[in-house]
């Protein structure tokens, strides 16, 4: 009886390790790098339907997108993190970190929150449009 039990435990462990490795491989395959046309610097123009001005930020926020990461500025603080693309028109800004310098940027926290909740994008006429579950949140021009 003990031999059967041990055999069952060993078999279960072997199968669980194999399925875990397969799941990781499938997840890595599904998580694609962002499209080539996104991989550049974008400067914020519009936030929640309103054109931004120098009164809103110390300088205009920007994001530099690479195949799997992003960096940039909130207009005052440096930001960085990881990008995840789940196919055409879908993107997420993950693990977003920001410096914590005191700034006179009224819209900085709104900008960061919208980046964190971004789930989609489109590019039209050299402009990047980001959206979340509620709709369009920001637009950027090429930098």
């Amino acid at each position: 009886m003990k031999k059967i039990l041990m055999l069952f435990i060993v078999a279960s462990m072997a199968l669980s390790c194999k399925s875990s490795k397969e799941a990781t491989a499938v997840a890595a395959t599904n998580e694609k790098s962002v499209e080539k046309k996104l991989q550049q610097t974008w400067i914020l123009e519009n936030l929640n339907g309103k054109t931004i001005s120098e009164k809103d930020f110390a300088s205009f926020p920007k994001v530099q997108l690479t195949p799997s990461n992003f960096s940039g500025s909130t207009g005052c603080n440096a930001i960085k993190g990881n990008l995840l693309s789940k196919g055409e028109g879908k993107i997420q800004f993950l693990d977003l970190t920001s410096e914590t310098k005191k700034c006179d940027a009224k819209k900085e926290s709104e900008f960061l929150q919208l980046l964190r909740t971004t789930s989609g994008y489109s590019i039209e006429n050299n402009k990047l449009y980001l959206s979340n579950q509620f709709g369009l949140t920001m637009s950027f021009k090429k930098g």
Side-chain angles (χ1 to χ4, degrees), residues 19-107:
S19 64
S20 174
K21 287 178 186 173
E22 289 172 355
T24 302
V26 168
T29 303
N30 290 338
E31 295 173 1
K32 302 173 187 171
S33 62
V34 298
E35 288 185 88
K36 199 78 157 158
K37 62 185 177 182
L38 278 172
Q39 297 175 30
Q40 55 191 306
T41 300
W42 299 95
I43 300 170
L44 185 68
E45 287 189 308
N46 192 294
L47 185 68
N48 265 338
K50 296 178 184 159
T51 303
I52 64 162
S53 71
E54 291 177 1
K55 295 175 188 173
D56 299 323
F57 296 93
S59 66
F60 292 104
K62 64 182 175 182
V63 291
Q64 169 71 44
L65 306 181
T66 64
S68 60
N69 300 304
F70 71 94
S71 61
S73 167
T74 64
C76 176
N77 288 301
I79 58 173
K80 65 180 179 177
N82 298 312
L83 287 175
L84 174 63
S85 176
K86 294 184 177 181
E88 181 81 24
K90 298 185 186 294
I91 194 169
Q92 288 181 293
F93 292 81
L94 303 173
D95 308 318
L96 190 151
T97 59
S98 172
E99 291 179 329
T100 56
K101 291 189 288 185
K102 288 272 186 187
C103 305
D104 192 26
K106 298 173 185 170
K107 305 267 184 169

Side-chain angles (χ1 to χ4, degrees), residues 81-136:
N82 298 312
L83 287 175
L84 174 63
S85 176
K86 294 184 177 181
E88 181 81 24
K90 298 185 186 294
I91 194 169
Q92 288 181 293
F93 292 81
L94 303 173
D95 308 318
L96 190 151
T97 59
S98 172
E99 291 179 329
T100 56
K101 291 189 288 185
K102 288 272 186 187
C103 305
D104 192 26
K106 298 173 185 170
K107 305 267 184 169
E108 182 180 41
S109 61
E110 183 179 357
F111 174 67
L112 289 170
Q113 183 58 30
L114 291 175
L115 275 180
R116 286 184 178 103
T117 62
T118 295
S119 57
Y121 74 91
S122 64
I123 297 177
E124 297 172 25
N125 300 322
N126 291 322
K127 294 195 186 246
L128 170 65
Y129 299 92
L130 298 181
S131 59
N132 64 19
Q133 63 183 353
F134 302 109
L136 182 64

